[in-house]
């Protein structure tokens, strides 16, 4: 818990005693619903694993087959997730954050971050590392509040070129090159 | 004597220029990770894990271990100077450390914290040197049944990592075990849960999964945290006087003992060690009323205890292969990725790798002691870089690191999937550490069980046929029963944080 808790519950010194401060009692409805949906999802996953494992060999003359572990694990996951689901219905059992759904702007930034990683995945092998990462960084810098376009452009370009060059030439790591050797002059 | 010889040879290897460089880079990156609020050591290690893939095994582990313990030094810097705890383990240091900084004695507080951390960390590493070989002799008696029993202890420690809900932790552990079954079955070669996707035939890679669960989710959740505005502190002097050293000597000794003993118990946290150390120091103090107003023992005790804990927590990993926290689970993953299996056999099978790693921890702690205080100004300036610039750069390293594992875009998609899942699960208070832990030990456990049962032709009695296996299983039962021990102790653990994430 200690490594990650800041990210979960704020980083200010005031919020630095996360476990000593009782968590909000006013859990919102979306949080409770999400909790039950997730727990139900794990129940369904457990059941699906059991069903899938039935198609694998359960036991062989020399011991357990490939279906042995998944079957038991699927059953265990189903039982445990059911228990989590049942316990969550008891009052006072859930300690969820005050607000489960992020605010619109925060949610937007989260979506942009995930979207830009998707852009990286789609573009890196087609357009090469440098142009793809430049676009990703530029958009992320702008969406995170780097207001001046020239500043964001310079940071994105410098970071991309420095990382691309140092990984390719100093760490000897392969990064997808720019098509048609467009950046061949700078070794990228 | 042989141990001493191996250790000295390892020290020689740790002092080789390449290994010194890996330790130095790890220490600097670890300090950076600790200084920056919102990036915990687990997240930082997960992000940087792929960058160590091209290094030799010893170099990779040396660097990651240095990131791990370096982060606790870094956490102290932002805590003392700016009242912004980089790590929860340093939270209690705010009380006196920041009070000292306000009096212009921040440099002294940092020096004493670094000195205490060095003493605590080094003492824990030396204890590892003494304990580990004893287990090496036992290791020769390990067969599949004993190995399986050992892994059961690893699973049982989840009861200590569980935090508020044992049920949720167990469900996540089973989920992690299931993720470990994805790919080709190790005995018969049957594909399982591959959905017809060729990259899944080799199983789910550890790096994209932990990168998503710990790295990406941390970045996404950090979007919800308010940005911290940092102002440069004033430092009158960096180094402690003789009176300061005298006042903190006892606290350092007590912190070392306390942190070391707590570190041996998987599931206890650095935060717990530092909070208890603070309480002990206040209890031992002649003028307890000075605590909270800049008492140097209030910095020395907790900081020593948290670093002694961090280093002592490596003992269960090295000797038994049991990770006690997410960061150490990631270190375990690094061992596995480099073809090393932590546990009793490690010392007899790969002494040329394990001893340099252990020796490098002393070297790394020494580097941190020497470097951190003079470099305070640099860390403060880094902390002043706006989040709007830092976050995109971290995302770049997450993308790059994941892609570089096997130059596969598929891994990036896996990372995104687990990043979203991790964000959701963390918001809903499901612990993630059990997933990381069981993803690693799951396949090993399955192989050990199936090997044991193959030897006995399916007779389950083999699992309890040797006294060693029985003793290990009994120990697992004891560990499992810990949450049922007196409610007061459990409540205390709950208040001071758990090791779940």
């Amino acid at each position: 818990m200690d490594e990650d808790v800041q990210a979960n519950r704020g980083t200010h010194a005031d919020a630095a005693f996360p476990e000593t401060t009782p968590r909000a009692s006013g859990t919102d409805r979306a949080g409770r619903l999400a909790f039950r949906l997730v727990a139900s999802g794990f129940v369904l996953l457990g059941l699906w694993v059991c069903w899938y494992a039935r198609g694998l060999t359960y036991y062989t003359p020399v011991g357990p087959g490939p279906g042995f572990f998944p079957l038991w694990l699927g059953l265990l996951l189903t039982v445990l997730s059911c228990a989590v689901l049942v316990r969550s219905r008891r009052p006072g059992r859930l300690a969820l954050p005050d607000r489960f759904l992020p605010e619109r702007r925060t949610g937007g930034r989260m979506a942009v971050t995930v979207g830009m990683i998707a852009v990286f995945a789609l573009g890196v092998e087609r357009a090469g590392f440098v142009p793809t990462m430049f676009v990703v960084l530029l958009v992320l810098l702008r969406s995170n509040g780097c207001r001046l376009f020239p500043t964001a452009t310079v940071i994105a370009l410098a970071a991309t070129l420095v990382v691309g060059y140092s990984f390719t030439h100093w760490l000897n790591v392969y990064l997808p090159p720019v098509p048609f050797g467009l950046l061949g002059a700078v070794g990228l | 004597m042989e141990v001493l010889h191996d250790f000295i040879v390892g020290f020689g290897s740790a002092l080789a220029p390449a290994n010194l460089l890996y330790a130095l880079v790890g220490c600097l990156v670890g300090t950076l990770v600790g200084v920056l609020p919102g990036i915990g050591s687990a997240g930082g290690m997960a992000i940087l894990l792929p960058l160590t893939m091209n290094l030799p095994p010893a170099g990779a582990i040396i660097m990651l271990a240095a990131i791990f313990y370096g982060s606790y030094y870094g956490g102290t810097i932002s805590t003392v100077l700016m009242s912004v705890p980089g790590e929860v383990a340093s939270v209690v240091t705010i009380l006196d450390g920041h009070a000292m900084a306000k009096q212009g004695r921040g440099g002294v507080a940092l020096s004493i914290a670094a000195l205490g951390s060095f003493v605590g960390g080094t003492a824990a590493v030396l204890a590892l040197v003494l304990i580990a070989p004893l287990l090496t002799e036992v290791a020769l008696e390990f067969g599949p049944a004993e190995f399986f029993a050992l892994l059961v202890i690893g699973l049982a420690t989840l009861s200590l990592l569980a935090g508020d809900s044992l049920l949720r932790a167990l469900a996540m552990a089973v989920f992690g075990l299931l993720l470990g079954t994805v790919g080709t079955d190790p005995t018969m070669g049957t594909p399982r849960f591959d959905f017809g996707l060729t990259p899944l035939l080799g199983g789910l890679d550890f790096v994209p999964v932990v990168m998503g669960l710990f790295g990406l989710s941390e970045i996404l959740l950090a979007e919800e945290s308010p940005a911290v505005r940092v102002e440069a502190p004033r430092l009158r002097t960096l180094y402690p006087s003789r009176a300061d050293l005298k006042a903190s000597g006892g606290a350092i000794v007590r912190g070392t003992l306390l942190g070391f003993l707590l570190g041996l118990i998987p599931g206890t946290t650095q935060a717990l060690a530092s909070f208890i150390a603070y309480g002990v120091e206040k209890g031992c103090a002649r003028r307890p009323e000075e605590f909270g107003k800049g008492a140097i023992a209030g910095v020395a005790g907790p900081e020593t205890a948290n670093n002694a804990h961090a280093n002592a927590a490596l003992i269960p990993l090295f000797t038994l292969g049991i990770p006690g926290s997410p960061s150490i689970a990631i270190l375990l993953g690094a061992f596995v990725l480099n073809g090393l299996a932590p546990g009793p056999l490690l010392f007899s099978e790969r002494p040329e790798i394990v001893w340099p790693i252990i020796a490098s921890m002393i070297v790394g702690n020494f580097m941190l002691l020497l470097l951190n205080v003079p470099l305070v100004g640099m860390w403060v300036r880094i902390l002043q870089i706006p989040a709007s610039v830092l976050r995109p750069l971290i995302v770049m390293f997450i993308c790059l690191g994941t892609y570089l594992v096997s130059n596969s875009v598929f891994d990036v998609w896996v990372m995104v999937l687990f990043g979203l899942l991790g964000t959701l699960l963390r918001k809903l208070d499901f612990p993630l550490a059990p997933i990381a832990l069981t993803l690693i030990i799951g396949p090993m456990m399955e192989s050990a069980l199936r090997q044991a049962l193959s030897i006995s032709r399916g007779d389950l009695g083999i699992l309890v046929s040797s006294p060693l296996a029985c003793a290990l299983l009994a120990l697992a039962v004891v560990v499992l029963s810990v949450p049922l021990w007196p409610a007061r102790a459990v409540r205390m653990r709950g208040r001071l944080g758990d090791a779940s994430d």
Side-chain angles (χ1 to χ4, degrees):
Chain A
M1 168 73 76
D2 47 351
E3 287 97 337
D4 302 333
V5 79
Q6 298 91 359
N8 245 338
R9 293 160 197 171
T11 54
H12 243 294
D14 300 343
F17 293 84
E19 299 297 336
T20 50
T21 312
R23 299 184 73 178
S25 54
T27 302
D28 73 341
R29 197 177 283 175
R32 284 185 175 278
L33 181 66
F35 186 92
R36 281 168 196 152
L37 280 175
V38 168
S40 308
F42 279 115
V43 172
L44 291 175
L45 178 68
L47 290 172
W48 177 79
V49 168
C50 292
W51 172 81
Y52 186 97
R54 282 185 60 223
L56 301 166
T57 311
Y58 177 74
Y59 223 82
T60 69
V62 288
F68 180 86
F69 239 58
L71 183 71
W72 282 103
L73 291 176
L75 277 174
L76 257 175
L77 184 63
T78 308
V79 171
L80 287 167
S81 307
C82 282
V84 169
L85 200 56
V86 170
R87 275 173 73 105
S88 73
R89 295 197 164 272
R90 288 212 219 144
R93 277 285 168 193
L94 277 183
L96 300 177
D98 244 353
R99 190 183 166 91
F100 172 72
L101 291 172
E103 287 170 14
R104 183 180 276 192
R105 279 185 67 180
T106 311
R109 280 204 303 269
M110 287 177 168
V112 169
T113 303
V114 174
M116 282 300 111
I117 296 175
V119 167
F120 173 82
L122 292 169
V124 70
E125 289 185 344
R126 293 181 174 89
F129 171 77
V130 172
T132 311
M133 190 47 87
F134 170 71
V135 172
V136 168
L137 271 184
L138 186 62
V139 175
L140 286 177
L141 283 163
R142 297 281 289 158
S143 77
N144 271 275
C146 188
R147 293 199 187 112
L148 294 174
F149 187 76
T151 311
T153 309
V154 169
I155 293 172
L157 194 61
T160 310
L161 288 175
V162 168
V163 167
Y165 191 85
S166 53
F167 271 68
T168 313
H169 293 274
W170 297 338
L171 296 174
N172 284 327
V173 171
Y174 169 81
L175 289 174
V178 182
F180 314 116
L182 289 175
L183 288 178
V186 287
L188 292 166
Chain B
M1 259 341 253
E2 198 188 333
V3 176
L4 195 63
H5 173 261
D6 287 345
F7 181 59
I8 290 170
V9 171
F11 222 102
S13 181
L15 291 174
N19 285 339
L20 279 177
L21 182 67
Y22 298 139
L24 178 66
V25 172
C27 287
L28 292 175
V29 172
T31 308
L32 177 65
V33 162
V35 164
L36 297 173
I39 307 173
S41 64
M45 285 168 74
I47 291 165
L48 296 160
L49 184 57
L51 302 186
T52 63
M53 303 281 263
N54 284 348
L55 302 182
I61 312 279
I62 284 173
M63 193 188 278
L64 284 169
I67 293 173
F68 170 62
Y69 53 74
S71 67
Y72 294 100
Y73 282 78
T76 312
I77 295 174
S78 51
T79 304
V80 168
L81 298 183
M82 281 146 282
S83 188
V84 178
E87 297 282 340
V88 175
S90 301
V91 163
V92 75
T93 309
I94 286 180
L95 301 173
D96 286 287
H98 192 59
M100 285 179 75
K102 281 182 183 167
Q103 298 158 13
R105 281 168 48 81
V108 175
L110 285 176
S111 294
I112 285 295
L115 183 66
S117 298
F118 172 72
V119 172
T122 306
V125 175
L126 290 175
L128 168 63
V129 174
L130 295 175
I131 291 172
L134 302 176
L135 284 156
T136 310
E137 289 167 23
V138 180
L140 298 173
E141 294 179 29
F142 267 65
E146 288 76 15
F147 192 56
F148 175 76
L150 189 60
L151 293 170
V152 172
I153 297 181
L155 271 187
T157 56
L158 289 172
S159 63
L160 304 171
L161 295 171
D164 290 344
S165 169
L166 185 60
L167 268 179
R168 268 176 266 169
L170 289 176
M172 291 303 96
V174 174
F175 179 56
L177 285 171
L178 268 173
L179 294 177
T181 64
V182 172
T184 308
D185 159 57
T187 313
M188 294 175 66
T190 312
R192 296 183 297 194
F193 309 108
D194 64 326
F195 305 104
L197 298 168
T198 313
L200 278 183
L201 284 174
L204 274 173
D205 230 314
F206 177 72
V207 175
V209 174
V210 292
M211 188 84 88
L213 287 177
F214 292 98
L216 181 57
S217 72
E218 199 147 316
I219 287 296
L220 293 178
L221 288 170
E223 299 281 5
E224 291 188 317
S225 310
V228 181
R229 229 188 141 71
V230 171
E231 284 173 22
R234 63 192 169 92
L235 298 174
R236 271 209 312 264
T237 173
L238 285 177
Y239 300 102
S241 64
R242 189 172 288 182
D244 290 326
L245 288 172
K246 199 175 163 193
S248 48
I252 289 175
V253 173
R254 285 186 289 273
T256 301
L257 281 173
L258 186 74
F260 175 73
L261 293 174
L262 284 171
L264 292 177
I265 306 166
T268 59
T269 61
Q270 283 89 355
L272 179 68
S274 53
F275 271 83
I276 293 179
Y278 189 82
V280 167
E281 289 316 314
K282 202 170 174 181
C284 292
R286 283 191 198 147
R287 293 188 201 128
E289 68 278 4
E290 287 181 1
F291 276 69
K293 296 171 188 164
I296 199 157
V299 176
E303 284 302 317
T304 305
N306 90 42
N307 218 51
H309 184 291
N311 284 271
L314 296 170
I315 295 177
L317 172 72
F318 275 86
T319 55
L320 299 170
I322 296 174
S325 74
S327 305
I328 297 182
I330 290 167
L331 204 54
L332 173 60
F335 271 91
V336 175
L337 285 172
N338 282 288
L340 304 167
L345 291 172
L346 186 64
F347 288 85
S348 55
E349 288 178 351
R350 305 300 294 271
E352 77 286 1
I353 289 182
V354 74
W355 286 111
I357 293 172
I358 292 172
S360 80
M361 291 178 194
I362 294 178
V363 176
N365 272 293
F366 190 63
M367 280 179 181
L368 286 162
L369 175 66
L370 288 185
L371 286 177
N372 264 1
V373 178
L375 293 181
V376 158
M378 182 181 88
W379 300 124
V380 170
R381 271 194 286 279
I382 287 176
L383 202 50
Q384 287 173 312
I385 296 175
S388 61
V389 175
L390 270 181
R391 281 179 194 157
L393 293 178
I394 293 170
V395 172
M396 174 173 74
F397 280 104
I398 289 177
C399 291
L400 194 59
T402 310
Y403 177 74
L404 289 179
V405 175
S406 47
N407 277 58
S408 162
V409 166
F410 182 80
D411 285 342
V412 181
W413 292 116
V414 171
M415 183 270 291
V416 170
L417 179 71
F418 280 93
L420 292 173
L421 183 67
T423 308
L424 183 65
L425 291 178
R426 279 166 68 163
K427 282 203 113 179
L428 296 174
D429 227 17
F430 280 87
L432 300 183
I435 304 177
L437 177 65
T438 51
L439 178 62
I440 302 166
I441 67 172
M444 293 194 264
M445 203 170 181
E446 185 180 6
S447 291
L449 178 65
R450 289 172 70 175
Q451 273 177 19
L453 291 177
S454 297
I455 292 168
S456 69
R457 300 254 157 202
D459 179 11
L460 283 167
I462 192 172
L463 299 177
V464 287
S465 60
S466 79
L468 184 57
C470 284
L472 290 169
L473 287 173
L475 186 58
V477 172
V478 173
V479 173
L480 263 177
S481 69
V482 169
L484 307 175
W485 291 3
R488 200 175 152 193
V490 175
R491 272 203 308 275
M492 189 166 176
R493 193 161 61 87
R495 274 208 309 273
L496 298 181
D498 54 63
S500 54
D501 291 330

